[in-house]
Structures are given as structure tokens and as C-alpha cells.
């Protein structure tokens, strides 16, 4: 008993330290003005508005947040903003969710018969996944909440705990409209390979039903259109049902998209951290990752084919399960705990984006203090027009939009504040556009220049 408590204490220390590191990294990136209106600003504004009892209509996208990804998980997240409204709650939830995935991973490893040292090695394999670290850095995305819950659902199924299984998959459905497909994929794996027919049937039915409800009812109701991401699959059709039909009836449309160097590179990078453990006996759990991987492979959108963004996060639980299955079957190239951890560490050092903190994330450090001081001057909930990188620092209001050279504002008088960084105009802007906008505001009788330092300008609308 004492030995088991010591193991859990050691595991708890690993999870706690991991959560702190992940939270610290995402918070530091945000503080360095490297987070963005898309997607952190959207989600932070929506959660804030929900917490204030207001309709969560994000001014960045122009419609109700449920019309984006049918992610009702933002409503319980808003309870945290009722305690104190802060974007750092989202970073904390994300870091905690990703780190807590190590707990069911360890239990699954032990339940599969792995010895303590190998179970801990699998925990490090999970926590050192470059995808996990990179997704944590890239703003906030609610699908990270699904990672520990999917692992917990598998553990519940193997332990024959039906109530816990249902309780685990329910929140997953509300994190993003495509995650029900992953739940259904997990269900197929449970039926075919785990012989958990009841659990698999529940997952398949719940996943398919909620996917149809989310994409055919909720999103069109709140968005008056199909899901935004449909444009990435336009070569297959203009709606979810059209795409599904064409995949079945016109498979030739897929050939040129599936078999490409971009997809090959994507799969190699995704599997490299665990390639040593993949074996015919161990790859069966990857059935659960097929919906996620298929969406990314078929997408005509390059960010879905890398380890930088969040799109591959639903595959993380099944990569961990594949490692466990291979080790339990006595397969895998690496002989011991030390070798496994060293390989995972090497993969992390090669593919994780921590070097950005020494280069890319410091590019606007010369205007950091001026930008912070300008933000401090905005003391009301009035409307704001500013750069995409500054938006997540000011998104607790009804109206905030970001500057873009391609779409200048029709009427600057719509805004109470205009905050510009001419030296670092940010995503979707040019220095020329931002400088001209600043000069235009200087000559606008309706605005007063309230703050200026290091090419950072804050204009306030004259009452």
C-alpha cells in the first residue's frame, strides 16, 4: 500500500510540474504578444460574455460562439470567469487537461500489465510529445479537454465502469463538432478489438448522433451557414452531407489529395516520437485516431498537416494507447525505460517549438513596455480597434476587431479606442498601412492621441 502511494505521489509530482511548465509557457507567449485574435481572442471574448450573462457573439467572427464549432463546453468554462474574468483561466485549464492525461495513461499501462518502470516511461512518452507542447503554446483550444477524457473513457471501458465511461465521453462531444467522429472511431475500436460491444455501441451512436446534430442543426442555426471549416474540403462538396456522399461515390477525388508529399511528411512527423513502439500487435488503438487523421489528410489547409497547431490533438490518446499495447505484447525496438525516455526527449528537442522563446517570440520586445502601458490606458469596456496580437489582451468587451491591410475599417468612429503598433504592425498588416492609419487618426478631429511611445499609438474617441 505504501509503495503504491509513493508511486502515485511521484506521478502526481510529474503531472504537477508538467502542468506548471505548460501553463508558464503559454502565459509567457501571451505576455510577449504572440497570441492572436484567432483563436484566443474569439474564445476569451465568448467566455467573458457568457460569464456576464450576455450573448456570446464574438465580434471577430460576427456570430454566436455555438455557430463556430458547436462547443457548448464554453458555458461551464464561464463559471471560472465568474470568479475572476481572466484569459489565464483558459491557459490553466489547457495546461491541466494536457498534463492530467498522464494519469489515465499510467493506469492504462498498469492495467495492461506493464511494470512500474515501463508505466512511468509511457507517461514520459505522453508528456514529451512535441504535439502536446506545441498545441499548448498555440493560444487555447477546447479540444485539449478531450485528451484526458478519452483516455479515461478507455480505462472505464476496460474496467467495466459504464457510468464513468458515459461521464467521460459526454464533455468530449461538447468540445468541437468534429470530436464526435473521434468518439465514434474509438467506439469502432472498442467493438472490433477490445470486445467491449456495449461501450463501443454507445460511443458510436453518441458520436454519430451528436456530429449530425452539431453540424446539421446547431451550427446552421447560430451561424446561418455550414461550419466555417467546410471551405477546406470544397473540392469534395459544399456541405457535410455532400462531402460524405462524394467520398463514398467518387473516391477518385481523394487520390491526388491523400497521396501527397505534404501528407507523408505530416504522418512521419506525427509518428516519429512513437515509431519505435509501433507493431502489428500494437497499432490497433490507432483505429480511434482515424477520423482525426482523415480530416487532416483530406483538408486543403496546410496548418492541419503539422505538429504546430491543435488539429492533431485528438490523436494523442490513441498514440499513447498504441505504445502501451506494443509494450504489453513485448514488442518495440527500445529495450528499457531509459532508452524510451531518451528517444522521447530527442523527439521533443527536435520537434517542439520551445526555441521560439529565444527568437520568434522576442521580435516585438522593443515595444513591449510601451504596448503594456498603452493597454493600461484603456480603462473602460468601450469598443477597440487594434492589432490581432493585442486583441487577446483587450477582448473582455462586446466589440473589438483587429486591423488588416486587406479590409480597412469602413468607419473609425465605430470605435472608442484605436491602438496601433507601427513598428510591429502584426499579422495581416503592413507598416505602410499602419503608419497611414496612425496619420489619418492624428488628423481626425474625432480622436485624441492619448499615448505615444516607441511607435505605439493609442487614440481615444473624443466624447
Amino acid at each position: 500500500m505504501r509503495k503504491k502511494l509513493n508511486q502515485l505521489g511521484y506521478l502526481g509530482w510529474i503531472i504537477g510540474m508538467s502542468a506548471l511548465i505548460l501553463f508558464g509557457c503559454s502565459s509567457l507567449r501571451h505576455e510577449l504578444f504572440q497570441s492572436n485574435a484567432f483563436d484566443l481572442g474569439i474564445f476569451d471574448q465568448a467566455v467573458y460574455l457568457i460569464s456576464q450573462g450576455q450573448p456570446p457573439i464574438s465580434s471577430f467572427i460576427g456570430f454566436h460562439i455555438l455557430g463556430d464549432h458547436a462547443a457548448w463546453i464554453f458555458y461551464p468554462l464561464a463559471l471560472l470567469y465568474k470568479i475572476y474574468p481572466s484569459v489565464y483561466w483558459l491557459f490553466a485549464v489547457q495546461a491541466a487537461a494536457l498534463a492530467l492525461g498522464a494519469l489515465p495513461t499510467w493506469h492504462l499501462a498498469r492495467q495492461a500489465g506493464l511494470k512500474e518502470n515501463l508505466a512511468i516511461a509511457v507517461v514520459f512518452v505522453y508528456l514529451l510529445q512535441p504535439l502536446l507542447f506545441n498545441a499548448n503554446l498555440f493560444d487555447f483550444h477546447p479540444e485539449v479537454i478531450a485528451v484526458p477524457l478519452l483516455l479515461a473513457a478507455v480505462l472505464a471501458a476496460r474496467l467495466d465502469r459504464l457510468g464513468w465511461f458515459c461521464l467521460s465521453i459526454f464533455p468530449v462531444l461538447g468540445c468541437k463538432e468534429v470530436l464526435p467522429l473521434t468518439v465514434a472511431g474509438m467506439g469502432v475500436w472498442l467493438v472490433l478489438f477490445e470486445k467491449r460491444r456495449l461501450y463501443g455501441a454507445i460511443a458510436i451512436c453518441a458520436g454519430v448522433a451528436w456530429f449530425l446534430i452539431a453540424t446539421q442543426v446547431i451550427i446552421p442555426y447560430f451561424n446561418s451557414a455550414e461550419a466555417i471549416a467546410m471551405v477546406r474540403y470544397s473540392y469534395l462538396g459544399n456541405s457535410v452531407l455532400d462531402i460524405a456522399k462524394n467520398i463514398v461515390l467518387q473516391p477518385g477525388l481523394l487520390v491526388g489529395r491523400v497521396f501527397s508529399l505534404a501528407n507523408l511528411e505530416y504522418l512521419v512527423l506525427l509518428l516519429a516520437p512513437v515509431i519505435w513502439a509501433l507493431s502489428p500487435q500494437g497499432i490497433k488503438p490507432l483505429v480511434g485516431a482515424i477520423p482525426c487523421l482523415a480530416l487532416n489528410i483530406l483538408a486543403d489547409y496546410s496548418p492541419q498537416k503539422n505538429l504546430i497547431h491543435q488539429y492533431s490533438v485528438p490523436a494523442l490518446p490513441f498514440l499513447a494507447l498504441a505504445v502501451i499495447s506494443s509494450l504489453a505484447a513485448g514488442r518495440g525496438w527500445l529495450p528499457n525505460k531509459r532508452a524510451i525516455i531518451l528517444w522521447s526527449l530527442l523527439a521533443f528537442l527536435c520537434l517542439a517549438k520551445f526555441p521560439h522563446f529565444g527568437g520568434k517570440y522576442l521580435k516585438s520586445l522593443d515595444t513591449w513596455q510601451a504596448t503594456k502601458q498603452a493597454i493600461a490606458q484603456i480603462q473602460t469596456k468601450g469598443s477597440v480597434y487594434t492589432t490581432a496580437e493585442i486583441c487577446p489582451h483587450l477582448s473582455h468587451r462586446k466589440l473589438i476587431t483587429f486591423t488588416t491591410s486587406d479590409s480597412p475599417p469602413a468607419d473609425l468612429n465605430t470605435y472608442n479606442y484605436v491602438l496601433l503598433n507601427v513598428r510591429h504592425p502584426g499579422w495581416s498588416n503592413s507598416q505602410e498601412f499602419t503608419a497611414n492609419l496612425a496619420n489619418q487618426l492624428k488628423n481626425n478631429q474625432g480622436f485624441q492621441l492619448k499615448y505615444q511611445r516607441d511607435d505605439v499609438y493609442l487614440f481615444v474617441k473624443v466624447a
Side-chain angles (χ1 to χ4, degrees):
M1 184 65 173
R2 179 178 296 178
K3 186 177 181 181
K4 184 175 182 179
L5 289 174
N6 288 337
Q7 293 170 8
L8 292 175
Y10 179 52
L11 180 63
W13 182 85
I14 293 172
I15 292 172
M17 289 300 298
S18 299
L20 286 174
I21 291 170
L22 292 172
F23 175 72
C25 288
S26 57
S27 298
L28 178 58
R29 177 180 180 269
H30 177 67
E31 277 298 308
L32 292 171
F33 293 101
Q34 297 302 310
S35 53
N36 213 289
F38 281 75
D39 293 319
L40 183 60
I42 295 172
F43 298 149
D44 180 52
Q45 183 186 31
V47 176
Y48 171 76
L49 291 174
I50 292 170
S51 73
Q52 300 300 304
Q54 302 177 31
I57 299 173
S58 172
S59 56
F60 297 112
I61 54 178
F63 50 81
H64 196 288
I65 194 62
L66 288 177
D68 186 22
H69 292 299
W72 53 257
I73 199 72
F74 289 121
Y75 282 85
L77 286 176
L79 295 175
L80 297 172
Y81 277 51
K82 283 188 172 292
I83 299 172
Y84 182 78
S86 172
V87 71
Y88 292 98
W89 280 118
L90 299 183
F91 296 141
V93 167
Q94 180 163 263
L98 291 171
L100 279 171
L103 182 59
T105 296
W106 184 84
H107 282 291
L108 285 162
R110 294 292 286 147
Q111 190 267 344
L114 298 187
K115 294 182 179 180
E116 297 161 13
N117 60 336
L118 282 181
I120 289 295
V122 173
V123 166
F124 279 103
V125 170
Y126 167 81
L127 290 172
L128 288 173
Q129 280 281 353
L131 171 62
L132 185 150
F133 182 83
N134 295 342
N136 175 76
L137 279 186
F138 183 52
D139 290 0
F140 167 84
H141 296 91
E143 51 262 52
V144 299
I145 299 171
V147 174
L149 293 172
L150 288 168
L151 288 163
V154 174
L155 181 61
R158 287 181 171 176
L159 295 176
D160 201 21
R161 302 290 179 85
L162 184 59
W164 284 108
F165 178 80
C166 295
L167 193 61
S168 296
I169 65 171
F170 176 68
V172 175
L173 302 176
C175 290
K176 194 174 184 179
E177 85 279 20
V178 294
L179 280 175
L181 296 178
T182 295
V183 172
M186 179 183 69
V188 171
W189 168 65
L190 288 172
V191 169
L192 295 180
F193 301 106
E194 293 287 300
K195 308 305 179 186
R196 303 284 179 176
R197 291 181 176 81
L198 174 60
Y199 294 86
I202 290 172
I204 293 170
C205 292
V208 172
W210 186 253
F211 176 74
L212 292 173
I213 292 170
T215 59
Q216 303 305 302
V217 179
I218 296 177
I219 290 177
Y221 178 81
F222 287 100
N223 186 1
S224 300
E226 287 276 344
I228 297 174
M230 286 300 99
V231 69
R232 303 171 190 175
Y233 307 92
S234 58
Y235 68 95
L236 289 171
N238 297 319
S239 70
V240 171
L241 298 181
D242 280 346
I243 290 171
K245 180 183 70 175
N246 289 331
I247 287 175
V248 175
L249 299 180
Q250 301 185 57
L253 295 173
L254 307 178
V255 176
R257 303 284 178 167
V258 172
F259 300 102
S260 68
L261 288 177
N263 284 333
L264 177 61
E265 179 186 20
Y266 163 61
L267 291 175
V268 168
L269 292 177
L270 180 67
L271 297 176
V274 297
I275 192 67
W276 59 270
L278 299 184
S279 66
Q281 295 84 354
I283 62 172
K284 295 172 185 176
L286 294 183
V287 169
I290 287 176
C292 165
L293 298 182
L295 287 170
N296 294 337
I297 288 171
L298 294 176
D300 189 15
Y301 184 58
S302 58
Q304 286 189 231
K305 305 175 192 295
N306 59 42
L307 303 189
I308 299 173
H309 299 84
Q310 78 283 4
Y311 300 104
S312 299
V313 161
L316 277 174
F318 304 101
L319 291 172
L321 287 165
V323 171
I324 292 170
S325 294
S326 286
L327 292 175
R331 304 294 178 178
W333 309 345
L334 301 179
N336 53 47
K337 172 185 174 181
R338 179 176 296 180
I340 292 170
I341 293 176
L342 285 175
W343 180 281
S344 299
L345 183 59
L346 178 63
F348 180 86
L349 293 175
C350 291
L351 299 173
K353 299 305 177 183
F354 62 90
H356 286 351
F357 286 104
K360 179 181 178 180
Y361 291 165
L362 302 180
K363 64 182 181 181
S364 60
L365 196 61
D366 55 338
T367 60
W368 181 84
Q369 188 172 20
T371 306
K372 293 290 287 185
Q373 290 174 349
I375 289 173
Q377 301 291 318
I378 301 176
Q379 298 177 349
T380 73
K381 297 299 181 182
S383 54
V384 174
Y385 183 55
T386 186
T387 68
E389 290 79 4
I390 296 175
C391 279
H393 297 260
L394 290 166
S395 45
H396 290 180
R397 60 196 71 242
K398 282 187 176 181
L399 176 59
I400 178 170
T401 54
F402 59 88
T403 58
T404 172
S405 302
D406 297 331
S407 181
D411 184 10
L412 285 170
N413 291 318
T414 303
Y415 303 98
N416 300 109
Y417 303 94
V418 179
L419 175 55
L420 304 172
N421 187 332
V422 175
R423 192 180 302 176
H424 302 290
W427 175 65
S428 76
N429 289 293
S430 66
Q431 283 190 327
E432 180 183 5
F433 167 78
T434 310
N436 289 338
L437 185 57
N439 290 329
Q440 179 185 342
L441 285 161
K442 288 177 184 177
N443 298 320
N444 189 325
Q445 297 293 326
F447 283 88
Q448 175 187 356
L449 179 60
K450 186 174 182 180
Y451 180 88
Q452 176 184 353
R453 179 184 171 187
D454 297 336
D455 294 328
V456 174
Y457 298 86
L458 174 62
F459 298 91
V460 180
K461 187 177 180 180
V462 178

